[in-house]
Amino acid sequence: GFASLDHHRSLRQGFPEVVLCEGKTQAQIVSIVRALLKRRGPLLATRAEPAVARAIRRLDRRARYHEDAKVVVVHDPKRVRRGHVLIVTAGTADVSVAEEARVTAEVMGSHVETLYDVGVAGLHRLLGRKDRLFTARVIVVAAGMDGVLPSVVGGLVDCPVIAVPTSRGYGASFGGLAALLTMLNSCAAGVGVMNIDNGFGAACLAHRINILGQRGKG
Amino acid sequence: GFASLDHHRSLRQGFPEVVLCEGKTQAQIVSIVRALLKRRGPLLATRAEPAVARAIRRLDRRARYHEDAKVVVVHDPKRVRRGHVLIVTAGTADVSVAEEARVTAEVMGSHVETLYDVGVAGLHRLLGRKDRLFTARVIVVAAGMDGVLPSVVGGLVDCPVIAVPTSRGYGASFGGLAALLTMLNSCAAGVGVMNIDNGFGAACLAHRINILGQRGKG
Amino acid sequence: GFASLDHHRSLRQGFPEVVLCEGKTQAQIVSIVRALLKRRGPLLATRAEPAVARAIRRLDRRARYHEDAKVVVVHDPKRVRRGHVLIVTAGTADVSVAEEARVTAEVMGSHVETLYDVGVAGLHRLLGRKDRLFTARVIVVAAGMDGVLPSVVGGLVDCPVIAVPTSRGYGASFGGLAALLTMLNSCAAGVGVMNIDNGFGAACLAHRINILGQRGKG
Amino acid sequence: GFASLDHHRSLRQGFPEVVLCEGKTQAQIVSIVRALLKRRGPLLATRAEPAVARAIRRLDRRARYHEDAKVVVVHDPKRVRRGHVLIVTAGTADVSVAEEARVTAEVMGSHVETLYDVGVAGLHRLLGRKDRLFTARVIVVAAGMDGVLPSVVGGLVDCPVIAVPTSRGYGASFGGLAALLTMLNSCAAGVGVMNIDNGFGAACLAHRINILGQRGKG
Amino acid sequence: GFASLDHHRSLRQGFPEVVLCEGKTQAQIVSIVRALLKRRGPLLATRAEPAVARAIRRLDRRARYHEDAKVVVVHDPKRVRRGHVLIVTAGTADVSVAEEARVTAEVMGSHVETLYDVGVAGLHRLLGRKDRLFTARVIVVAAGMDGVLPSVVGGLVDCPVIAVPTSRGYGASFGGLAALLTMLNSCAAGVGVMNIDNGFGAACLAHRINILGQRGKG
Amino acid sequence: GFASLDHHRSLRQGFPEVVLCEGKTQAQIVSIVRALLKRRGPLLATRAEPAVARAIRRLDRRARYHEDAKVVVVHDPKRVRRGHVLIVTAGTADVSVAEEARVTAEVMGSHVETLYDVGVAGLHRLLGRKDRLFTARVIVVAAGMDGVLPSVVGGLVDCPVIAVPTSRGYGASFGGLAALLTMLNSCAAGVGVMNIDNGFGAACLAHRINILGQRGKG
Amino acid sequence: GFASLDHHRSLRQGFPEVVLCEGKTQAQIVSIVRALLKRRGPLLATRAEPAVARAIRRLDRRARYHEDAKVVVVHDPKRVRRGHVLIVTAGTADVSVAEEARVTAEVMGSHVETLYDVGVAGLHRLLGRKDRLFTARVIVVAAGMDGVLPSVVGGLVDCPVIAVPTSRGYGASFGGLAALLTMLNSCAAGVGVMNIDNGFGAACLAHRINILGQRGKG
Amino acid sequence: GFASLDHHRSLRQGFPEVVLCEGKTQAQIVSIVRALLKRRGPLLATRAEPAVARAIRRLDRRARYHEDAKVVVVHDPKRVRRGHVLIVTAGTADVSVAEEARVTAEVMGSHVETLYDVGVAGLHRLLGRKDRLFTARVIVVAAGMDGVLPSVVGGLVDCPVIAVPTSRGYGASFGGLAALLTMLNSCAAGVGVMNIDNGFGAACLAHRINILGQRGKG
Ligand SMILES: Nc1ncnc2c1ncn2[C@@H]1O[C@H](COP(=O)(O)O)[C@@H](O)[C@H]1O
Ligand SMILES: Nc1ncnc2c1ncn2[C@@H]1O[C@H](COP(=O)(O)O)[C@@H](O)[C@H]1O
Ligand SMILES: Nc1ncnc2c1ncn2[C@@H]1O[C@H](COP(=O)(O)O)[C@@H](O)[C@H]1O
Ligand SMILES: Nc1ncnc2c1ncn2[C@@H]1O[C@H](COP(=O)(O)O)[C@@H](O)[C@H]1O
Ligand SMILES: [Mg+2]
Ligand SMILES: [Mg+2]
Ligand SMILES: [Mg+2]
Ligand SMILES: [Mg+2]
Ligand SMILES: [Mg+2]
Ligand SMILES: [Mg+2]
Ligand SMILES: [Mg+2]
Ligand SMILES: [Mg+2]
């Protein structure tokens, strides 16, 4: 078959295998999702086009599509969310990546707050809300173009910062490469970097950090 | 003057400004270190050549040089170390980067353990010591050449993983670029990536994660 | 004319010229295929869109289109297949590249088996089927994103391993470049690398290796 | 001969041809400088190693070597300097590039002030001296590593900002490429970018801007 | 919300926040524009597709769409324009970038003249109009392909030159990268470079330079 | 206006300005072509889509469209063609680039012959027609993918060789970059390289070489 | 410790762990080699500088240093060598990489022949010795600069071809990148590519192929 | 052996094999040169360090070393030189590349003239000597940094132009890459490009063009 599902992942890592829809045919996605739904855990499918979302809804009426995040979710909405993840963006154009992160972290069980469009072209927007930064346990910062916001946030706070370069920009932004390099070279120490547009991965890491000390291992 | 020290950093982020010696003249380094020592906090100077280390020792006899890590340290060795950071390398050639991370995290106050030279060319070396992976609160994985080890570790554990590409390798490793790209594209979710050879930054992030839930914010 | 067919290839290399459809007009493809079919050997046309496949079928009713592999084939299906080529993929999204390899190797005369979607995000999927790896004469491993699977397979087996980076992924995968570099820098020795998405070439090399020692030259 | 001096430049652009020593033999430099000194205008030689500086001093005792800037100068030190150029650096390691800019602008006739080592890792160092930014006619900002400082300065001021990426950094800084891309993609509008380490060029542009409106063309 | 408008920008930098439409949904743009129009200052929206322009016109009948520049403008057309910005292009294909610059600079209050399609393939077109170059206070030069025109202009004039690489070209132009590198390495001193296709940014910088010495700060 | 035609080019270089249609609007092209046709010389418009070709035909009924070459031509077909340019391709997919070169060189006045699809995958196709190579005055070789053919041709002949990389290929061909680098590094001396897909430029250079020694300057 | 030796490798893959000296300190190498020599199998240490070779000889007098290949070997020279590996180079400058491959393959047990300096600048050197190509079971081709030789060899033979790009060349060879890309895009099917200068890896793969069909698995 | 000399080259291409010393050991060079000298033709050895030059002089007292060009030559200085090749450079730093071209072309039999340091930073230096350009049969233009000179020359003349990018420059010149890209994208048609610093290759091509029409083939 075209798929070998990792049914052990939930035990090993606390959440079942997530479906990355991009690069798979709709038939493949439907077959994988059907197998996952049988296990009755939560379902997360990322990079889902509307047609894919509709196909998944036909399998399970509880499925909810977050269009801006391109994510399909089946989960128990009443589950208590823990800790405090803050997601920040530099611009409005980075919001879709941030939303992929927000939905992912919430489905995994984290409490999430957001602070969008506070890039350094108008620095007072960030400095005026420093309290928002200081109360978070872990901060995700998404930025395209020059990608400078994680360096600025990283210089202000003492909690872990996760930087997500986005592909927003043009010309010498080279599809997010400029922002990626900025973040990797951040002069603020303690900033971990994700792949371009990888809101999903940022949320996984943020969630793992967020629940630390609240589980056995603390 | 050539330097504007950030004497506020200790308050803001719990550790004074760290001196990156690379790119500064010895005269500049000595002047900066002298100013920092006056503040009586701990001192950390990274990327220090032996001659620089000797110059710092002339300023303060307590200074200790970790030659493999190229780090100079002045700190209270009796301070209790908390939590559990595990540092893993794929090969022997990655050890100097790992040691930069180890010394940094320890000086900042983390308890650190190491597991070196367990790359996938001989996978049983890692799989035979899975218990070492499962007991850590946060894991730093340094690897050069193909940089695959963080993906493998990331698929096994449920704690945060920090990947550090090293510049070890030749040809199409392009000074660590190959390993960097591997790590950014990790198919294991929840892996944060640092700059090439940035053991220091990995340790900062690992330490921040490690002490979470043990401070007020938990 | 726009083509100078290499009618000598079958003699020289045991299989007639293969038609790479990408980059040719349909008129050119039809004219080339017609000339090749006259020679009565097997026909292989790769990177064929459905419309091209239909046009070829109009020339010869025996032509079979493998849609997932985008390959058109005219050959004697009853021919005995020799040896043992194993084709492995890291994910579901790499399957189309793997299928290009499978169809090619089979048409050339190799016996092929497959093991799909066993990447290191769930390593037990591979380790639980090590026997599949140990019985092959030669293994083709296709992987996108981080491209780590060939390194892991290469560390386990003692037969030749051929790595095929795929363009699956996004952001810093740079269209397969990340996976390509990973494979070129593999810390497991004895891994040969093909162009990105080049399932066809991987199959040619695997087939040549597979039949070694079964022909005169052994 | 190996050189065709542009003796017309002083008339055309207000300053004689400047000698870029890097890439020329000492014999070539000496011959060019001798020809320029005959014209009795000011002399500026950049990227001059100490040995080259000594050779020039043997030609003209008035020559002064700025070692940190690697610049040799012959000019009338009593000339009045006009306007107000501010040169800012993110770190101590960027100071040599900034000094190349400072000496160049001063020799050309600009009044220059400096503000060094005020990068965003300790943002208060910049914000606490905003007045310094607001009184300048034009600002040059040099930064290596992540290169974020020009974006932050550019968001605060309303005068022209010239960004100079420096090659300071390691790993994915790629010799200043990361900082260069950051600056080209600056989300703050109105930032012009120079080549990596090109303090000389930044000063030329800053000087041209600085004297605008004070010459006929205003 | 998805946007945190910088209503302070007009005070700080003399012109309200400009809307970069690329990368935003039409709903986001409309909401942002509506908020900005309430403030009654001028409005500038760049990279606006025709549909976006129509949506803005529905909000405010005074909105004018410059189709070649892809810019929407609401402003007082009778406002006096000051100084003298000259915009030059190498070819006809660079005109749309130049027009983005022209409209931006005019809306901000600069007097603009243009000289289009005078690249070095026919150098007499430029040399025959040198007077046009000599009377400008600041010159913007847009060029694609080899991007050589700014170097040539920069060698002739003594005013500030702003170079804008365009993405016009094919093959090894790599989307404007070739022209960008040419301009960064310009052998003519005093040339500041903008991002590829960034006519807007070039105009901001040109305008700031143009009005210098005409405001208090002179 | 958007164009400053170089009406002097015919005098200076023996052929009027050629219109590169790519990157221009149809309205711009029509206006430029109309102005050029008034001068009554030959007309050459490259990279012309069919709709553009039709628009030009409406201006002048003599205009002929070479669809495979994407070139529109108005010229005197009875003009005698001189010398001997040979155009060679490695594959069928390179023929469109070769045809751009053929039409250009013929319109300029060169006698052209072609030898298509003789790449080294079937080397005998080239070696069997060495006489074709030895009788040419100048040879243009177009190749995509690995781009090796110019090196092989360059090693056999003693006339000038012009190499044109094409964008044919996939994956690590990076849009023709691989072939371009191959050609620049050719171990056969005396090979000049053109931009990727630049059949037009190759023809200009070949034509200039071809007519040498037949004009005054010989 | 800094090393975790893979003592199981000999069982798993038929040859003990090979020491890559580059990137390790001499103390580390000596300690690793001492541990390996205790196991009494053969020893292979690559990228060994003369001083390292001398240090190893002090541990075991049988150690032999191949200076051109930079390889240290301890093995039973009387062991019978099997099969037939042919190693070919394009130029003299590629010989050191080829020698690393030759020594490695011989120590592992393969019979090796060589054909050096037969690049396509003088193609008759290769064509005149085609018999050498036709009798090999597997061919390794090392080439720098344009890297075209593997494509030419690959078009002539029907056995597996392994291509090794070398870093020989300058300018746009970019340290072997040009040759690497050429080989990855080879129009001759069935060519597997190794990392730049990786003679060792090429030999591992060639040896694995060479002994196929001579072991149980045939 | 490590070399297979191409003794047929003189017959095939009119000049014996040229020795590229870079990348060869002195022992290899001496052995190759000795074999070539036996043939009694002219000798050309490029990229020769002074020590290599001395070793060659010990083999043949007629050998002359051009230190600036790093070329060793044995030839008949009284041979008549034909035609007219003009070699132009943008700056003084490009002269060594130009000299490699000059010596090569002269040894091959071309008459060469030079025009050095006439880059566009002082355009009148070139325009004032247009006659020098108009009388040449073929022009070689070497330029580093922005590499714009070939475009300017190419727009003025009607003879073939060969562009040689040099590695002179810093920062974003990336070792000559910027100049290379500029030249490949030249808006002046009919410019052929060589590898970075490849004065030798430029001379080979220029010589082949220069003697056209003066040999049989005209
Ligand atoms: N948006 C995403 N970005 C990166 N990785 C993802 C994303 N969504 C899911 N994944 C991971 O991608 C892997 C999917 O691989 P596969 O489905 O087997 O091709 C899963 O193991 C997920 O952990
Ligand atoms: N196919 C082509 N490739 C490259 N350059 C071309 C091509 N066709 C025309 N040109 C050149 O491109 C220039 C056109 O620039 P523009 O002023 O934008 O029309 C002309 O000077 C031509 O010499
Ligand atoms: N999918 C493929 N990828 C790479 N090469 C291919 C593929 N299919 C066919 N080829 C090779 O590409 C060459 C076709 O070149 P052409 O003359 O343009 O048809 C043939 O010699 C095939 O060996
Ligand atoms: N540090 C510098 N960086 C960039 N350009 C410079 C520098 N110093 C001088 N120049 C310019 O470089 C040119 C020198 O080119 P050349 O003819 O090779 O000496 C002069 O026109 C100067 O304007
Ligand atoms: Mg915003
Ligand atoms: Mg090891
Ligand atoms: Mg899967
Ligand atoms: Mg500092
Ligand atoms: Mg034009
Ligand atoms: Mg073909
Ligand atoms: Mg040779
Ligand atoms: Mg000069």
Side-chain angles (χ1 to χ4, degrees), chain B residues 90-92 117 125, chain G residues 4-5 17 24:
Chain B
T92 294
D117 190 33
R125 297 178 297 186
Chain G
S4 310
L5 287 182
E17 187 166 341
K24 298 198 179 77

Side-chain angles (χ1 to χ4, degrees), chain D residues 1 4, chain H residues 84-91 94-106 110-118 126 129 132-133 136-143 149 153 159-164 166 198-204 206-207:
Chain D
S4 309
Chain H
H84 182 171
V85 175
L86 176 67
I87 303 180
V88 181
T89 76
D94 308 310
V95 166
S96 59
V97 173
E99 285 291 293
E100 186 184 83
R102 184 184 61 75
V103 176
T104 298
E106 287 185 354
S110 278
H111 171 76
V112 181
E113 303 199 354
T114 62
L115 184 55
Y116 290 162
D117 190 32
V118 295
L126 183 78
R129 278 172 272 184
R132 302 287 306 278
L133 302 177
R137 279 174 63 85
V138 51
I139 303 178
V140 172
V141 188
L149 195 57
V153 170
C159 71
V161 173
I162 302 170
V164 190
T166 76
N198 191 1
F200 163 73
C204 289
H207 174 70

Side-chain angles (χ1 to χ4, degrees), chain H residues 158-199:
Chain H
D158 69 347
C159 71
V161 173
I162 302 170
V164 190
T166 76
S167 53
R168 309 318 175 237
Y170 58 86
S173 111
F174 296 125
L177 177 62
L180 171 63
L181 293 181
T182 308
M183 294 172 185
L184 286 167
N185 286 284
S186 179
C187 59
V191 174
V193 184
M194 308 307 299
N195 190 8
I196 297 162
D197 290 336
N198 191 1

Side-chain angles (χ1 to χ4, degrees), chain B residues 135-152:
Chain B
T135 51
R137 278 174 65 86
V138 49
I139 303 178
V140 172
V141 188
M145 296 176 70
D146 56 13
V148 311
L149 195 57
S151 288
V152 173

Side-chain angles (χ1 to χ4, degrees), chain B residues 2-6 9 17-18 24 32, chain D residues 90-93 116-119 125:
Chain B
F2 52 77
S4 310
L5 287 182
D6 178 7
R9 192 163 308 175
E17 187 167 341
V18 173
K24 297 198 179 78
I32 289 169
Chain D
T92 294
Y116 290 163
D117 190 32
V118 295
R125 297 178 296 186

Side-chain angles (χ1 to χ4, degrees), chain B residues 1-9 12-13 17 20 22-24 28 32 47 174 177 180 195-198, chain D residues 89 91-95 114-118 120-125 129 145 168-174:
Chain B
F2 52 77
S4 310
L5 287 182
D6 178 7
H7 290 309
H8 182 259
R9 192 163 308 175
R12 211 166 65 244
Q13 304 188 315
E17 187 167 341
L20 171 62
E22 203 176 83
K24 297 198 179 78
Q28 289 171 336
I32 289 169
R47 309 280 161 120
F174 297 125
L177 177 62
L180 172 64
N195 191 7
I196 297 163
D197 290 336
N198 192 1
Chain D
T89 76
T92 294
D94 308 309
V95 165
T114 61
L115 184 55
Y116 290 163
D117 190 32
V118 295
V120 302
L123 191 58
H124 57 97
R125 297 178 296 186
R129 278 173 272 183
M145 296 176 71
R168 309 319 174 238
Y170 58 87
S173 110
F174 297 125

Side-chain angles (χ1 to χ4, degrees), chain H residues 16-195:
Chain H
E17 187 168 339
V18 173
V19 187
L20 170 62
C21 298
E22 202 175 85
K24 299 199 178 79
T25 65
Q26 186 165 312
Q28 290 172 335
I29 296 166
V30 164
S31 151
I32 289 170
V33 166
R34 184 176 288 125
L36 287 170
L37 286 171
K38 276 196 194 127
R39 299 279 163 152
R40 301 182 161 266
L43 174 89
L44 188 63
T46 63
R47 310 280 162 120
E49 295 303 322
V52 161
R54 281 192 299 271
I56 296 179
R57 270 185 68 84
R58 280 193 290 273
L59 294 179
D60 190 326
R61 297 275 54 173
R62 295 169 306 161
R64 179 156 167 234
Y65 185 45
H66 296 265
E67 197 171 355
D68 40 358
K70 287 198 160 178
V71 167
V72 182
V73 165
V74 178
H75 72 131
D76 173 4
K78 279 169 289 184
R79 191 176 159 202
V80 176
R81 299 213 182 102
R82 294 170 298 165
H84 182 171
V85 175
L86 176 67
I87 303 180
V88 181
T89 76
T92 294
D94 308 310
V95 166
S96 59
V97 173
E99 285 291 293
E100 186 184 83
R102 184 184 61 75
V103 176
T104 298
E106 287 185 354
V107 170
M108 290 184 166
S110 278
H111 171 76
V112 181
E113 303 199 354
T114 62
L115 184 55
Y116 290 162
D117 190 32
V118 295
V120 303
L123 191 59
H124 58 97
R125 296 179 297 186
L126 183 78
L127 298 180
R129 278 172 272 184
K130 268 195 207 164
D131 53 307
R132 302 287 306 278
L133 302 177
F134 293 160
T135 51
R137 279 174 63 85
V138 51
I139 303 178
V140 172
V141 188
M145 295 176 72
D146 57 11
V148 311
L149 195 57
S151 287
V152 173
V153 170
L156 296 171
V157 304
D158 69 347
C159 71
V161 173
I162 302 170
V164 190
T166 76
S167 53
R168 309 318 175 237
Y170 58 86
S173 111
F174 296 125
L177 177 62
L180 171 63
L181 293 181
T182 308
M183 294 172 185
L184 286 167
N185 286 284
S186 179
C187 59
V191 174
V193 184
M194 308 307 299
N195 190 8

